[in-house]
Structures are given as C-alpha cells and as structure tokens.
Amino acid sequence: MDVLLIILCAVIVIGLLVFIHEGGHYLAARAFGVRVTEFMLGLPGPSVGFTAGGTRFGVTAVPLGGYAKVCGMEPGPMSPHLEAALASVYRRGTANMEDVAADCGISDDEAYEALEELVEWGSIAAPTKKDPYNTYRAREVKPTRREQRKAQTASQPALPSYALGESRPVADPQALFESEYRQQYRSLPFWKRSVILLAGIFVNLLFAVLAFIILFSVIGFAVQNTQTGEVFQFHASPWQSIVAGFTYIGMVVQAVLGLFNPATAAATVSDSTSIVGIAVLSKTALEQGFFTGLQFMAMISVSLGIMNLLPIPPLDGGRFVIEVFQKVTRKTVSTRALSYMSMAGMALFIGFCIFMVNQDIQNLIAGTGVFASPA
C-alpha cells in the first residue's frame, strides 16, 4: 500500500510540473500560430483523451513525463514535393503512396518522404494499423465559432467543414501549401523559435517564484522571537519572496554547473536524487501539508527547468544551441547529425539516470542521503 501511495504522489507532483512545462511550449506555439497536434502527459504510447482546437489532449499508458507535439520541428531541408503531394491528398481525400507518386510524377520514395513530412506538419493523417495499403487521409477541418463569426463580419461565405479523409476542392495548391506552412515551427523567425523552445523552462521557473510568493507572503511562516520565545506568523513582502525565489534558482544553477567541475562533480551527484528519490520525497512532502508540498514542488520545478537548459539534445537547451548554431553559421543541421546527437544525449542521460537510481536505492536501503532520518 505504501508503494502505491509513493507512486501516486510521484505521478501527482511530476505530472503537474510536466504539465506546466509542456504547457509553456504549447501556449508559446499557439500564440505564434503554430499547430500543436498532441499535448500528452506520459511517454508516447496508447492514450486516452479528447480533441479540442485541433490538438489531442490526454494521458498515456505511462503517465511519467510528457510532450507537446509542435508541428514542423523536423530537422533538415523540406521535401520539394510537399505542395503537389498536399494537393493530391486533399483532392482525393484518401490516398496511398503510389497514388500521390502518380499524381505528382515523382518516385514512390519521393512521395513517401513528402507524405511523412506532411504528417509531421499535421496537414494529413498518418496510416493506421488497420490500413492494408498505408492510406493517408486529408485532415479534418472544423472552423471554430470565432473563425465563422470573422467570416460573417467580412461578408464572406461560411467556412466549409470536412471530415477526416473527405475529398475537397483545391483551386490554388500554392495558397493551400502556404497556409499550411505558416502554421509550422520551421516557418518562424529565430527569436520566435527560441521563445517556443525556452517557454517550458520559463514557466517552470515562473511557477517556482509564484509558489514562493504564496508560501512566504500570502501564507507566511512561523518565526520565534529569540528574546521572548514568542512564536508569530511572519509575512514577507512580495519582493522579498521574489528575491528568495531567484536566490534558490541561483543555487540550483550553481549546483548544476558543479556537474561540469571535476572538483565538485562527485559531491553534486551524491547530493542529487533520481525519480526514485523524488517519488519517496513527494509522498513525505505531501503528507506534511500544503505548505511543505508546494515548497517541494517549487524546488523540483526549478530543478526540472534548469536541467532542461543543459545543451544536450534532445533537451530544450540542446535544441536551442542547435538553433543558435544554424542562425550563426547559416547552415542547416542534417537529420542524420541531429539523430546522432540525440542518441548520444539520450545514452548519456539514461546512463546518468541509471547511476542515480542505483544510488537512491542504496541510500534507501541504508537510510542515508536524502532518505536519512532527521536527528
């Protein structure tokens, strides 16, 4: 029963902080008009949820972690056949690779490459497991009430709706392609792409600072007068709480930088904890009440944000460094190069996680480290 409670507390704490982090990416992308097809809590896999505004929101089978699928983030140059392939699928409603290749006068491989990129754009739907011939479908179109009102105000015809896989007229393939391209991450200037990449980190840190204001300024904390022994509730000013929040953020930054210093790396790792430690500490913090629970979540939120700043693909900081490199050199990082860097980064990250989990298990058994009983 205790193990189930630990898992539940971990899912609540980590799920909330991941929701905040991915929510930052989602809100920034939507603010710039970029399509987001999925917003999920959990690792990619089977999921339950609902669709609203063209985005599927839900929870996957493994509700740890999460992701917001921002369209158009695929690396490398675009396929030169996207416009023709998009028009082909829309006119047909449903089409396979051979259909599109024949319509566009290109090879099957070129058609497949274009179709898969359009799937990443959210412009068409990918084949399902039940499709015997890998059928691609034109995406569902349901204009919102706001869009319909805007059309009525401009004295324009009512915007049409189309079901998934329903054929539709394409009078101007170039205009259709440009409309889809404008909703992609890759269409944005450098500064907007940077905002989307760093928005998750920003909201994690913002949440922590707001939590410090609630804890120290709104709720307050008990302080004892050393001379009289009187205990009273002290409320710090909002500015003092903000300073405390940024002071803690600075401490975490310093600790993370300690990982790259041979003289302090061992001590930093020894003082750190993995998902196992966070799970155990989550239960302890939530059991101690709202104040301790919110304080703990603020601390983990800062750690999540700062760790995501590390310049290691596929972390946000790694993707940002790649964007900076491409901006400075005016060269595009190839799909293969990014794939290799991501695999190397994931291998490093997984290796570090395995080491930390082992350390936490050893500390848990021995009752040392973060699991040590208070004196």
Side-chain angles (χ1 to χ4, degrees):
M1 185 63 182
D2 213 33
V3 173
L4 292 177
L5 190 57
I6 288 173
I7 294 174
L8 177 61
C9 291
V11 169
I12 292 173
V13 171
I14 298 174
L16 175 61
L17 297 181
V18 169
F19 175 82
I20 291 171
H21 181 90
E22 297 301 333
H25 294 309
Y26 172 81
L27 292 175
R30 297 303 298 133
F32 294 139
V34 175
R35 180 180 291 147
V36 182
T37 53
E38 292 183 63
F39 185 105
M40 292 288 170
L41 288 180
L43 302 178
S47 63
V48 295
F50 63 94
T51 300
T55 304
R56 177 171 170 77
F57 300 87
V59 180
T60 69
V62 185
L64 288 176
Y67 63 94
K69 191 173 182 180
V70 179
C71 293
M73 295 189 75
E74 70 280 356
M78 295 189 301
S79 165
H81 308 294
L82 294 178
E83 181 181 318
L86 180 63
S88 173
V89 176
Y90 272 43
R91 287 185 178 125
R92 287 177 174 270
T94 61
N96 56 40
M97 178 178 64
E98 292 79 10
D99 294 330
V100 174
D103 289 346
C104 303
I106 58 180
S107 69
D108 289 352
D109 288 343
E110 289 173 325
Y112 175 77
E113 179 184 341
L115 289 167
E116 286 299 304
E117 188 164 353
L118 289 173
V119 168
E120 289 298 316
W121 283 22
S123 301
I124 63 175
T128 66
K129 293 181 179 179
K130 297 180 180 180
D131 291 329
Y133 302 111
N134 285 339
T135 302
Y136 294 85
R137 295 169 174 81
R139 72 180 182 89
E140 182 182 44
V141 176
K142 286 186 177 180
T144 64
R145 292 181 180 178
R146 181 180 179 183
E147 291 172 333
Q148 292 288 17
R149 286 197 301 268
K150 186 176 180 181
Q152 292 175 355
T153 304
S155 299
Q156 296 176 349
L159 299 176
S161 297
Y162 297 101
L164 178 67
E166 181 180 356
S167 63
R168 60 210 69 180
V170 181
D172 189 343
Q174 183 178 359
L176 172 63
F177 171 74
E178 290 176 352
S179 173
E180 290 296 309
Y181 179 69
R182 285 194 295 270
Q183 300 178 71
Q184 306 304 313
Y185 170 87
R186 63 161 64 234
S187 72
L188 300 178
F190 168 76
W191 75 270
K192 289 185 177 181
R193 295 199 301 270
S194 300
V195 169
I196 292 175
L197 289 176
L198 301 179
I201 297 169
F202 173 78
V203 294
N204 273 129
L205 301 183
L206 177 62
F207 168 79
V209 172
L210 292 177
F212 274 98
I213 293 175
I214 293 172
L215 291 170
F216 301 141
S217 297
V218 178
I219 299 176
F221 52 95
V223 176
Q224 184 177 32
N225 188 315
T226 56
Q227 296 181 346
T228 64
E230 178 188 2
V231 178
F232 60 95
Q233 196 76 359
F234 177 76
H235 294 269
S237 69
W239 174 248
Q240 289 174 319
S241 298
I242 292 172
V243 170
F246 278 98
T247 299
Y248 181 75
I249 291 172
M251 292 169 58
V252 174
V253 171
Q254 187 176 4
V256 172
L257 291 177
L259 291 170
F260 301 93
N261 184 347
T264 59
T268 301
V269 170
S270 178
D271 293 336
S272 302
T273 187
S274 70
I275 184 69
V276 173
I278 292 174
V280 175
L281 294 174
S282 295
K283 174 179 175 293
T284 302
L286 294 180
E287 285 179 338
Q288 292 177 1
F290 177 79
F291 189 96
T292 304
L294 182 58
Q295 186 177 35
F296 176 75
M297 284 193 287
M299 296 166 63
I300 298 300
S301 187
V302 171
S303 298
L304 176 63
I306 299 304
M307 289 299 291
N308 260 285
L309 264 178
L310 291 176
I312 303 172
L315 298 179
D316 297 336
R319 295 194 68 99
F320 176 67
V321 168
I322 290 173
E323 287 288 350
V324 172
F325 172 82
Q326 293 181 146
K327 178 67 174 179
V328 172
T329 63
R330 299 187 180 277
K331 295 180 180 179
T332 301
V333 176
S334 67
T335 304
R336 178 178 294 182
L338 182 58
S339 178
Y340 286 150
M341 286 188 287
S342 296
M343 287 191 293
M346 283 300 297
L348 178 64
F349 187 72
I350 292 173
F352 182 72
C353 286
I354 291 174
F355 177 84
M356 293 300 300
V357 167
N358 179 68
Q359 174 180 277
D360 276 350
I361 292 174
Q362 296 296 328
N363 287 336
L364 182 61
I365 294 173
T368 57
V370 295
F371 306 102
S373 300

